């Protein structure tokens, strides 16, 4: 199968991107300045991320669509206001996660942003669950550009007036050069920022305007270090069909109102796990020293018993040290619990820590 | 006069008497990206030609460092362990990895000279 290219491919090439194949797309992993510099630029200034490989699923319908979606997602969608967004999951009957997603109430329906690797499957699952009752468009005609970091609001405002009035996890339609653009104040880096959905034909021109205002293109490599420092899950690593939202420590994203009533896919298991606890849970892990524990690194307790596994681990440029997330047996999940990570045959000390690793106020002035 | 040679695993080696200084090439650092972790062999240990003798990690992945010749590790560059970004800054000079007392000078003959290595690096990254 040929790998797909986003509408910014030429711009990435012109910007000397190194490419990797990701979810069937040729995506930039980094540009000439490298992951650490790109990471820092995003934290201190403003980074542009091409996330056009992600799915933009529009589902059109009225009250009955809200009812039907509430049977799928553990969200209080009846009270979700126009242009407001929620983080959620598509789950199996036993609450395994098919995908994590952002759902936004738009006029005449909902917009759901899906992971690139999951979007086709999600579409099939949702179409079936909704009995083909609604118009559903997995829109390949639109690109998705994220702009993240403290200077993003000023930069985007200078291109499109009014974006500065958006609150976190809310959006609106804007018009630029006769193009309809949907912008939400959201992102996945732990920084203030926006995600911009716009026609493929306009994507490069729009992105070049952001670059002219001082923002820089940032690759998937820095996107990964940024989201990991921010304690955010990545599908295929922290999240999978074998993990539930409760195990993934994402119960904050499940509506309390909906839990009390149940009646959504996976609600039996979720309710049971909320009441009885889970055997394994996602935690933050801080290795001592500089050792980096990558995905699949085994985790041991002080008695040398295996208690879990790392799901993501790297060097955090803003933390200036290694950071990781993983799953451990529940009894070892308390903050400050001492654990050991087996890297290249040797066991290295680490501690369970709270997430995120990076908070804005925490490192102010460090970089 | 000291002589610098290069391996297919992108190490450079400079021989002075029977002491060889070993590091990774600029080309290697460009392929790896930002280096954020370094592990060196133990001082006093013996390493075998083409065996692993350390690790470098970038934000993306871990890579083994191989020794192009056999010998006893007689010195380590602690500064690149304390600050691995030095390897990106000056890979073929101050950011050397370790020094070996070599056993068999003829092992040097199997390695590439600068022109050969530059050609090899260009071809292997094309």
């Amino acid at each position: 199968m040929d790998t797909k290219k986003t509408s910014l491919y030429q711009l990435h090439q012109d910007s000397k991107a190194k490419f990797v194949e990701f979810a069937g797309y040729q995506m930039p992993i980094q540009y000439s300045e490298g992951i650490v510099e790109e990471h820092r630029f995003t934290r201190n200034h403003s980074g542009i991320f091409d996330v056009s490989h992600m799915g933009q699923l529009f589902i059109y319908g009225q009250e009955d669509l809200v009812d039907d979606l509430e049977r799928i997602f553990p969200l209080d969608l009846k009270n979700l206001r126009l242009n407001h967004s929620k983080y959620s999951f598509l789950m199996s009957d036993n609450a395994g996660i098919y995908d994590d997603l952002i759902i936004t109430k738009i006029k005449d329906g909902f917009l759901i942003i899906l992971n690139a690797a999951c979007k086709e499957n999600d579409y099939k699952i949702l179409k079936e669950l909704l009995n083909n009752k609604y118009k559903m468009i997995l829109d390949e005609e639109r690109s998705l550009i994220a702009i993240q970091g403290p200077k993003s609001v000023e930069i985007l405002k200078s291109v499109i007036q009014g974006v500065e009035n958006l609150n976190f996890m809310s959006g609106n339609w804007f018009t630029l050069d006769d193009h309809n653009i949907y912008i939400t104040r959201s992102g996945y880096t732990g920084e203030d920022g926006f995600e911009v959905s716009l026609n493929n034909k306009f994507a490069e021109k729009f992105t070049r305007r952001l670059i002219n205002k001082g923002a820089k293109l940032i690759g998937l490599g820095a996107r990964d270090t940024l989201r990991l420092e921010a304690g955010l899950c990545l599908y295929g690593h922290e999240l999978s069909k074998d993990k539930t939202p409760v195990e993934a420590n994402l119960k904050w994203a499940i509506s309390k109102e909906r839990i009390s009533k149940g009646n959504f896919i996976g609600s039996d298991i979720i309710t049971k796990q909320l009441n009885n606890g889970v055997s394994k849970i996602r935690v933050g892990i801080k290795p001592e020293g500089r050792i980096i524990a990558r995905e699949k690194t085994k985790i041991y307790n002080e008695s040398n018993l295996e208690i879990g596994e790392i799901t993501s681990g790297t060097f955090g440029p803003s933390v200036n040290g290694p950071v990781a997330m993983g799953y451990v047996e529940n009894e070892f999940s308390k903050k400050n619990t001492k654990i050991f990570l087996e890297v290249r045959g040797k066991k290295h000390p680490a501690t369970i820590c709270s997430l995120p690793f990076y908070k804005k106020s925490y490192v102010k002035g460090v970089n | 006069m000291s002589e610098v040679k290069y391996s297919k695993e992108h190490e450079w080696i400079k021989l002075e008497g029977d002491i060889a200084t070993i590091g990774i090439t600029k080309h290697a650092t460009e392929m790896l990206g930002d280096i954020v972790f370094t592990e060196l062999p133990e001082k006093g240990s013996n390493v075998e030609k083409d065996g692993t003798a350390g690790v470098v990690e970038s934000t993306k992945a871990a890579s083994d460092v191989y020794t192009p010749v056999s010998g006893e590790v007689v010195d380590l560059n602690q500064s690149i362990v304390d600050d691995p970004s030095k390897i990106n800054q000056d890979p073929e000079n101050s950011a050397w990895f370790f020094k070996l007392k070599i056993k068999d000078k003829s092992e040097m003959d199997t390695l590439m000279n600068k022109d050969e290595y530059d050609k090899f690096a260009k071809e292997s990254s094309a």
Side-chain angles (χ1 to χ4, degrees), chain A residues 113-157:
Chain A
I113 304 294
L114 304 162
N115 279 301
C118 307
K119 63 183 180 183
E120 303 286 347
N121 192 42
D122 295 347
Y123 179 84
K124 260 189 248 163
I125 293 169
L126 284 167
K127 192 137 188 124
E128 205 176 305
L129 290 171
L130 295 169
N131 292 315
N132 214 357
K133 237 166 90 183
Y134 305 96
K135 184 179 163 194
M136 287 175 58
I137 299 167
L138 187 55
D139 201 335
E140 299 283 328
E141 304 288 307
R142 296 183 82 81
S143 299
L144 192 64
I145 315 291
I147 176 165
Q148 302 278 297
K151 301 276 168 37
S152 300
V153 60
E154 286 305 317
I155 288 172
L156 190 58
K157 190 179 114 180

Side-chain angles (χ1 to χ4, degrees), chain B residues 18-30:
Chain B
D18 62 350
I19 301 296
T21 305
I22 291 160
I24 66 171
T25 64
K26 187 162 191 298
H27 176 74
T29 62
E30 283 163 1

Side-chain angles (χ1 to χ4, degrees), chain A residues 18 29-30 33-37 221 225 290-294 313-315 317 343-344 346 348, chain B residues 30-39 42 55 57-62 64 81-84:
Chain A
K18 281 189 192 170
I29 181 102
Q30 65 168 84
E33 291 190 38
I35 294 174
V36 169
E37 185 46 39
T225 56
R290 297 190 69 96
I291 196 85
I292 298 169
R294 308 258 174 201
T314 188
F315 175 83
V343 179
R344 293 182 286 272
K346 267 191 240 166
H348 299 267
Chain B
E30 283 163 1
M31 288 191 296
L32 288 164
D34 302 306
I35 296 167
V36 293
F37 177 80
T38 321
E39 202 171 84
E42 273 178 48
V55 174
E57 294 201 43
S58 70
T59 42
K60 287 177 283 193
D64 286 321
V81 175
D82 298 338
D83 181 5

Side-chain angles (χ1 to χ4, degrees), chain A residues 124-307:
Chain A
K124 260 189 248 163
I125 293 169
L126 284 167
K127 192 137 188 124
E128 205 176 305
L129 290 171
L130 295 169
N131 292 315
N132 214 357
K133 237 166 90 183
Y134 305 96
K135 184 179 163 194
M136 287 175 58
I137 299 167
L138 187 55
D139 201 335
E140 299 283 328
E141 304 288 307
R142 296 183 82 81
S143 299
L144 192 64
I145 315 291
I147 176 165
Q148 302 278 297
K151 301 276 168 37
S152 300
V153 60
E154 286 305 317
I155 288 172
L156 190 58
K157 190 179 114 180
S158 70
V159 177
I160 307 178
Q161 276 288 315
V163 295
E164 68 278 15
N165 299 321
L166 293 173
N167 289 321
F168 184 60
M169 291 300 267
S170 75
N172 216 333
W173 289 99
F174 294 84
T175 309
L176 186 65
D177 293 6
D178 297 325
H179 291 281
N180 289 322
I181 301 178
Y182 195 75
I183 302 178
T184 56
R185 195 158 201 164
S186 53
Y188 221 61
T189 58
E191 297 295 327
D192 180 29
F194 301 85
E195 288 168 306
V196 181
S197 163
L198 75 180
N199 193 285
N200 288 339
K201 292 189 187 106
F202 189 48
E204 182 177 331
K205 197 173 166 193
F206 173 80
T207 307
R208 285 191 190 273
R209 280 196 211 175
L210 299 178
I211 293 168
N212 287 339
K213 300 282 181 185
K216 279 187 189 172
L217 285 166
I218 308 295
L220 289 183
R223 186 171 169 82
D224 194 48
T225 56
L226 288 159
R227 69 93 196 166
L228 185 45
E229 279 188 347
L232 299 167
C233 295
L234 182 62
Y235 196 85
H237 300 263
E238 283 68 43
L239 309 179
S240 69
K241 240 166 53 183
D242 315 321
K243 308 264 166 50
T244 73
V246 184
E247 290 166 335
N249 216 342
L250 297 169
K251 62 183 178 193
W252 58 266
I254 304 168
S255 156
K256 288 197 181 67
E257 167 76 18
R258 296 299 313 286
I259 287 293
S260 64
K261 297 197 179 110
N263 196 29
F264 58 86
I265 294 169
S267 58
D268 292 350
I269 301 283
I270 298 271
T271 306
K272 207 168 119 192
Q273 289 188 340
L274 286 173
N275 291 334
N276 305 341
V278 288
S279 56
K280 281 200 175 187
I281 192 155
R282 179 179 63 101
V283 290
I285 293 162
K286 185 89 192 78
E288 282 177 24
R290 297 190 69 96
I291 196 85
I292 298 169
R294 308 258 174 201
E295 185 173 8
K296 295 203 158 62
T297 298
K298 289 191 168 26
I299 306 172
Y300 294 84
N301 69 5
E302 288 187 295
S303 316
N304 211 16
L305 292 172
E306 196 179 322
I307 56 164

